[in-house]
Amino acid sequence: MATGRSPTNIAVIKYWGKRDEALILPVNDSISVTLDPDHLSATTTVAVSPSFPSDRMWLNGKEISLSGGRFQSCLREIRKRAQNVEDEKKGIRIKKEDWGKLHVHIASYNNFPTAAGLASSAAGLACFVFTLGKLMNVKEDCGELSSIARQGSGSACRSIYGGFVKWCMGKNNDGSDSIAVQLADETHWNDLVIIIAVVSSKQKETSSTSGMRDSVETSPLLQYRAQTVVPERVLKMEEAIKSRNFESFARLTCADSNQFHAVCLDTSPPIFYMNDTSHRIISLVEKWNQSEGTPQVAYTFDAGPNAVLIAPNRKNATLLLQKLLYYFPPQDNDLRSYMVGDKSILSDAGLKSIEDVEALPAPAEMKTPSQKFKGDVSYFICSRLGAGPKVVTDESLALIDSVTGLPKGV
Amino acid sequence: MATGRSPTNIAVIKYWGKRDEALILPVNDSISVTLDPDHLSATTTVAVSPSFPSDRMWLNGKEISLSGGRFQSCLREIRKRAQNVEDEKKGIRIKKEDWGKLHVHIASYNNFPTAAGLASSAAGLACFVFTLGKLMNVKEDCGELSSIARQGSGSACRSIYGGFVKWCMGKNNDGSDSIAVQLADETHWNDLVIIIAVVSSKQKETSSTSGMRDSVETSPLLQYRAQTVVPERVLKMEEAIKSRNFESFARLTCADSNQFHAVCLDTSPPIFYMNDTSHRIISLVEKWNQSEGTPQVAYTFDAGPNAVLIAPNRKNATLLLQKLLYYFPPQDNDLRSYMVGDKSILSDAGLKSIEDVEALPAPAEMKTPSQKFKGDVSYFICSRLGAGPKVVTDESLALIDSVTGLPKGV
């Protein structure tokens, strides 16, 4: 039995479109930031036993099917690389050729809402590959693991590292060079503060898998973006990260988020991931940035309406939070549960009670500051950059009961 | 004194981006349909008198400044081409060299809401140029007039004709070949029915003039669209119109509307013209089209949230209306004032009272049909294709009092 924890990641140069559906090879490079696993991560326990009659998996306590190609690819690739395991203390000895005969039980848990469109599959698949690799004593390096995670869920390959990560699209048809590399670890630019607005959505969204397939097949703009626009942006983004140039980082991040959503709109039928609330958050940030003459905060949106806002420092993060809470006060007036993750940002912003929120002044840069949109944001998460996957050594934190072989509490 | 009436037009291949701001020369060809002037048009009366001390203009009864470049360009170009006018009956004789000394009074009126984003400036400027040309006995043909109207408001050049109109971008730096031509008149494909959903908007919109300037300066996708995507679409659209191929017409219309809005989103800062209501109308149409396997209705959106829906015939128009009214019932339960233009579509759709609307079944193709959005549409307009500008000969319909030289009723 082994337990691991993997972070989620948010792309600042977006991945949208596969050139190979089976191997999950992208049409362009992408770059992401890894989020603090204390706030957004998946924890996975993998167990093997000769008594397990089949492979089984539970997500957040509920059994899910393992028949999907994404898990099977990862399982197959890790099993292929399994090595001898010997643990004298526990009296365990498994030869590498025996791994293929052993079935696995997998239990995974996200410490954030799975359906909220916060790259839960990236964290989940990365964690699955990482933990399975540990259990089976796989010796491959992170690059190789990222390539296996990629075959489970494209963006999962970027969750194999902390800090700033680049997924190189690669050129080979077999995908062997389509791997993630770390550009800089989480300590390189550690004053960045990340605030996520989880936006209430009334509409069912298009899954990113089918959405990007439709885009590749129907959007005339996608190939131009992939071949002409992104390569230049990737170079500039690497430079911005290296030199901690927030202005350049923010401009590239916002422009690339918007272009990704433009390609979605150029798809037939068009895909709308952002809604009026997303648009309002963008307007708020754009007007603030414009009034200051230089970016104060960057925004990026994945395949859903949630805003991921990146501030260069604590000061801008608190200013941002004040502006956001002015427009989007909590529906039920409960401020504490409205802020998840690093709740201390609330007191930094001088917001100790709902009365403090109600007393917030309208942002000066907004021309029509009167209207508020209570209830349009479900809650906020305050986070920061974080590290890559880790083994959880405390066995009491394992998600599977070592006696029953089943998820604890099920 | 002369009075004229000009229709508005809706582009099915969009104009977005100028290569010359002063002459209003576009980055690509565009194609539009002219709407029935009975439903959507501008009426303009132009008067001259030696007693007028200056040029003045009234729009919908309110005096507006004529100092803007758009009116001045048109006024200058028409005056340049003025000819002798002789009307023995009225005892009028104006030599062409005298037109430059005479000031004009202009009164214009739109029979539809000016601020609703329904190309009111296109109808207004086309009418201004057409009527002024009549008054000053200008002999130039429609192509030449369209080129003058273009200098007032780009899309106004397409309102010089009825039916289907193409604005050829031209190649010359002086704009002499950037003119509109008629592809087919309004009788060519006269079973088309147009339903416009005027969508309630809470947000102030970016003007199209500044919006397209921002797009030209900042969108990496705009030039690719203009140079590579649009030329091919224009050829296909001409063919679809010529052969009355609704399937091709609808696919091109929807794709081009979506791509125009994609370019707006790819602009920095991004421009959002469509809102959640616009998105819902698109989803409704897309799901219907998908369930039938072939387009039942086309949609297109200009620089605002209003949906312009084009049905191939009366039958599809009534089906569309039933679906639309199911989701968007009138706020105040007053069905008659909720439908403007050709109100007979209501009885064709079997909708005689608000009870009929309430009894409408949920569209079968929608998976989540329960939620309704009362109040999100302000009203509907039912129209059809229409003719180009006309002289209004009935002098009682003139907007200027021939005695005072001022707008009637002001």
Side-chain angles (χ1 to χ4, degrees):
Chain A
M1 196 156 91
T3 300
R5 189 171 79 155
S6 289
T8 185
N9 73 78
I10 299 289
V12 290
I13 300 291
K14 300 293 187 192
Y15 152 52
W16 194 251
K18 301 182 181 83
R19 64 179 201 277
D20 185 312
E21 287 272 338
L23 292 169
I24 309 194
L25 302 178
V27 294
N28 56 253
D29 294 348
S30 54
I31 294 178
S32 61
V33 294
T34 296
L35 301 188
D36 187 340
D38 283 349
H39 305 140
L40 294 135
S41 61
T43 300
T44 300
T45 298
V46 188
V48 282
S49 163
S51 70
F52 294 166
S54 65
D55 297 330
R56 293 176 72 184
M57 175 159 184
W58 294 261
L59 177 60
N60 296 327
K62 218 184 123 186
E63 183 155 13
I64 61 165
S65 165
L66 259 174
S67 63
R70 44 175 45 196
F71 287 106
Q72 290 302 330
S73 302
C74 295
L75 201 49
R76 185 188 63 238
E77 294 298 319
I78 291 290
R79 272 192 177 126
K80 238 193 259 178
R81 292 163 178 83
Q83 299 293 334
N84 297 335
V85 167
E86 223 165 320
D87 186 331
E88 284 189 26
K89 247 193 345 213
K90 291 189 182 164
I92 295 170
R93 183 176 296 183
I94 305 176
K95 282 194 202 151
K96 61 176 174 181
E97 55 271 27
D98 292 338
W99 282 110
K101 301 169 207 156
L102 288 166
H103 286 292
V104 294
H105 278 189
I106 308 144
S108 194
Y109 166 80
N110 296 329
N111 66 352
F112 61 98
T114 302
L118 291 166
S120 54
S121 71
L125 266 297
C127 201
F128 176 61
V129 166
F130 174 81
T131 311
L132 205 61
K134 288 294 168 199
L135 179 77
M136 299 192 178
N137 197 21
V138 163
K139 304 289 192 200
E140 270 70 14
D141 63 12
C142 286
E144 183 78 10
L145 285 184
S146 78
S147 166
I148 297 170
R150 187 203 76 224
Q151 296 172 60
S153 168
S155 56
C157 72
R158 296 186 311 236
S159 273
I160 293 293
Y161 304 91
F164 296 88
V165 184
K166 177 181 170 184
W167 175 9
C168 308
M169 61 178 286
K171 287 175 183 173
N172 301 345
N173 285 337
D174 66 357
S176 54
D177 56 350
S178 189
I179 61 167
V181 296
Q182 188 178 53
L183 297 175
D185 73 16
E186 62 276 16
T187 63
H188 167 69
W189 196 354
N190 60 10
D191 20 358
L192 294 184
V193 179
I194 292 164
I195 292 179
I196 301 172
V198 178
V199 169
S200 319
S201 172
K202 287 159 203 154
Q203 257 149 323
K204 205 195 134 30
E205 282 140 32
T206 312
S207 85
S208 55
T209 304
S210 72
M212 70 174 79
R213 185 165 45 223
D214 288 349
S215 289
V216 169
E217 284 169 8
T218 66
S219 166
L221 302 178
L222 181 134
Q223 292 299 339
Y224 180 77
R225 158 174 167 73
Q227 288 163 21
T228 309
V229 182
V230 174
E232 200 184 316
R233 279 190 183 161
V234 164
L235 292 175
K236 285 184 182 163
M237 182 59 93
E238 287 189 62
E239 187 52 43
I241 290 168
K242 201 173 154 192
S243 58
R244 292 186 282 265
N245 179 343
F246 186 76
E247 177 167 350
S248 174
F249 176 83
R251 289 193 200 281
L252 290 163
T253 297
C254 298
D256 207 66
S257 172
N258 290 329
Q259 188 169 86
F260 149 52
H261 292 279
V263 167
C264 290
L265 190 42
D266 188 48
T267 300
S268 175
I271 306 163
F272 310 110
Y273 286 125
M274 296 198 289
N275 63 19
D276 285 350
T277 308
S278 317
H279 293 174
R280 283 188 190 105
I281 294 173
I282 289 182
S283 293
L284 183 158
V285 172
E286 287 286 358
K287 278 184 185 143
W288 184 25
N289 289 349
Q290 230 166 337
S291 77
E292 300 286 341
T294 175
Q296 304 299 298
V297 158
Y299 57 82
T300 188
F301 294 74
D302 272 357
N306 302 326
V308 177
L309 301 148
I310 308 176
N313 51 49
R314 198 80 178 170
K315 179 170 157 273
N316 282 22
T318 57
L319 287 172
L320 170 66
L321 192 61
Q322 289 166 345
K323 291 171 200 287
L324 286 169
L325 285 177
Y326 173 83
Y327 285 106
F328 305 102
Q331 174 81 295
D332 56 5
N333 290 339
D334 178 4
L335 191 54
R336 291 292 296 171
S337 67
Y338 201 48
M339 177 58 72
V340 175
D342 177 6
K343 285 176 189 282
S344 71
I345 187 86
L346 280 177
S347 37
D348 285 15
L351 301 170
K352 282 171 187 152
S353 68
I354 191 69
E355 287 74 27
D356 294 333
V357 172
E358 282 160 1
L360 281 168
E365 65 275 12
M366 300 297 276
K367 274 156 207 157
T368 48
S370 51
Q371 208 181 356
K372 298 192 176 196
F373 301 93
K374 200 179 219 181
D376 286 359
V377 169
S378 299
Y379 59 92
F380 291 95
I381 304 170
C382 181
S383 189
R384 66 179 88 84
L385 263 60
K390 292 242 157 61
V391 172
V392 176
T393 49
D394 181 349
E395 291 188 10
S396 72
L397 297 176
L399 300 176
I400 290 180
D401 185 314
S402 60
V403 177
T404 63
L406 294 173
K408 289 177 179 170
V410 171
Chain B
M1 198 156 91
T3 300
R5 189 171 80 156
S6 290
T8 187
N9 73 79
I10 299 289
V12 289
I13 298 291
K14 299 293 186 191
Y15 152 54
W16 195 251
K18 301 182 180 81
R19 63 180 202 278
D20 185 311
E21 287 272 339
L23 291 170
I24 311 194
L25 302 177
V27 293
N28 57 254
D29 293 348
S30 54
I31 293 179
S32 61
V33 294
T34 297
L35 301 187
D36 187 340
D38 282 349
H39 305 140
L40 294 134
S41 62
T43 299
T44 301
T45 298
V46 188
V48 283
S49 164
S51 69
F52 294 166
S54 65
D55 296 332
R56 292 176 73 183
M57 177 161 182
W58 293 262
L59 177 60
N60 296 327
K62 219 183 122 184
E63 184 157 12
I64 61 166
S65 166
L66 258 174
S67 62
R70 44 175 44 195
F71 288 106
Q72 289 303 329
S73 304
C74 295
L75 201 49
R76 187 188 61 238
E77 294 299 318
I78 291 289
R79 272 191 177 128
K80 238 193 258 179
R81 292 164 177 82
Q83 298 292 333
N84 297 335
V85 168
E86 221 164 322
D87 187 330
E88 284 188 28
K89 246 187 352 203
K90 291 187 183 167
I92 295 168
R93 182 176 299 182
I94 305 174
K95 282 193 204 152
K96 63 177 173 180
E97 55 270 28
D98 292 336
W99 282 112
K101 301 168 207 159
L102 287 167
H103 288 291
V104 294
H105 278 190
I106 308 143
S108 194
Y109 166 80
N110 297 327
N111 66 351
F112 61 96
T114 301
L118 292 166
S120 54
S121 71
L125 265 297
C127 202
F128 176 61
V129 166
F130 173 80
T131 311
L132 205 61
K134 288 294 169 198
L135 180 76
M136 300 191 178
N137 198 20
V138 163
K139 303 291 190 196
E140 270 71 12
D141 64 11
C142 287
E144 183 79 11
L145 284 185
S146 78
S147 166
I148 298 170
R150 187 202 78 225
Q151 296 172 60
S153 168
S155 55
C157 74
R158 296 185 311 238
S159 273
I160 293 293
Y161 304 90
F164 297 88
V165 183
K166 176 180 170 185
W167 174 9
C168 309
M169 61 178 287
K171 287 176 181 171
N172 301 343
N173 286 336
D174 66 357
S176 55
D177 57 349
S178 188
I179 61 168
V181 296
Q182 188 178 52
L183 298 175
D185 73 16
E186 63 277 15
T187 62
H188 167 69
W189 197 353
N190 59 12
D191 21 357
L192 295 183
V193 179
I194 294 165
I195 291 179
I196 301 173
V198 178
V199 169
S200 317
S201 172
K202 287 160 202 154
Q203 259 149 323
K204 205 195 134 27
E205 283 139 30
T206 311
S207 83
S208 55
T209 304
S210 72
M212 69 174 79
R213 186 165 44 223
D214 289 349
S215 289
V216 169
E217 285 170 7
T218 66
S219 165
L221 302 179
L222 180 134
Q223 293 298 339
Y224 180 76
R225 158 175 166 72
Q227 288 163 20
T228 309
V229 182
V230 174
E232 199 183 316
R233 279 189 182 161
V234 164
L235 291 176
K236 286 184 181 162
M237 182 59 93
E238 288 189 63
E239 188 51 42
I241 291 169
K242 201 173 153 193
S243 59
R244 293 186 282 265
N245 178 341
F246 186 76
E247 176 167 350
S248 173
F249 176 83
R251 290 194 199 282
L252 291 164
T253 296
C254 298
D256 206 66
S257 172
N258 290 328
Q259 187 169 86
F260 149 52
H261 291 280
V263 167
C264 290
L265 191 41
D266 188 49
T267 300
S268 174
I271 305 164
F272 311 110
Y273 285 126
M274 295 197 289
N275 63 20
D276 285 351
T277 308
S278 316
H279 293 174
R280 281 186 192 107
I281 294 173
I282 289 181
S283 294
L284 182 158
V285 172
E286 288 285 359
K287 278 182 186 142
W288 184 26
N289 288 349
Q290 230 165 338
S291 77
E292 300 286 340
T294 175
Q296 304 300 299
V297 157
Y299 56 81
T300 187
F301 294 74
D302 272 357
N306 303 327
V308 177
L309 301 147
I310 308 175
N313 51 48
R314 197 80 178 172
K315 178 171 159 271
N316 282 20
T318 56
L319 287 170
L320 170 67
L321 192 63
Q322 289 167 344
K323 292 170 199 286
L324 286 169
L325 285 177
Y326 173 82
Y327 286 108
F328 306 102
Q331 175 81 294
D332 56 5
N333 291 339
D334 178 5
L335 191 55
R336 291 292 298 171
S337 67
Y338 201 47
M339 177 58 72
V340 176
D342 177 6
K343 286 175 189 282
S344 70
I345 187 86
L346 280 176
S347 37
D348 285 16
L351 302 170
K352 282 171 187 153
S353 69
I354 191 68
E355 287 72 28
D356 294 333
V357 172
E358 283 159 0
L360 281 168
E365 65 274 13
M366 300 298 276
K367 274 156 205 156
T368 50
S370 51
Q371 208 181 355
K372 298 194 177 194
F373 302 94
K374 200 178 217 179
D376 286 359
V377 169
S378 299
Y379 58 93
F380 291 95
I381 304 170
C382 182
S383 190
R384 66 179 87 85
L385 263 61
K390 292 242 158 62
V391 172
V392 177
T393 47
D394 180 349
E395 289 188 10
S396 72
L397 297 175
L399 300 174
I400 290 180
D401 185 314
S402 61
V403 178
T404 64
L406 295 172
K408 287 177 179 171
V410 171

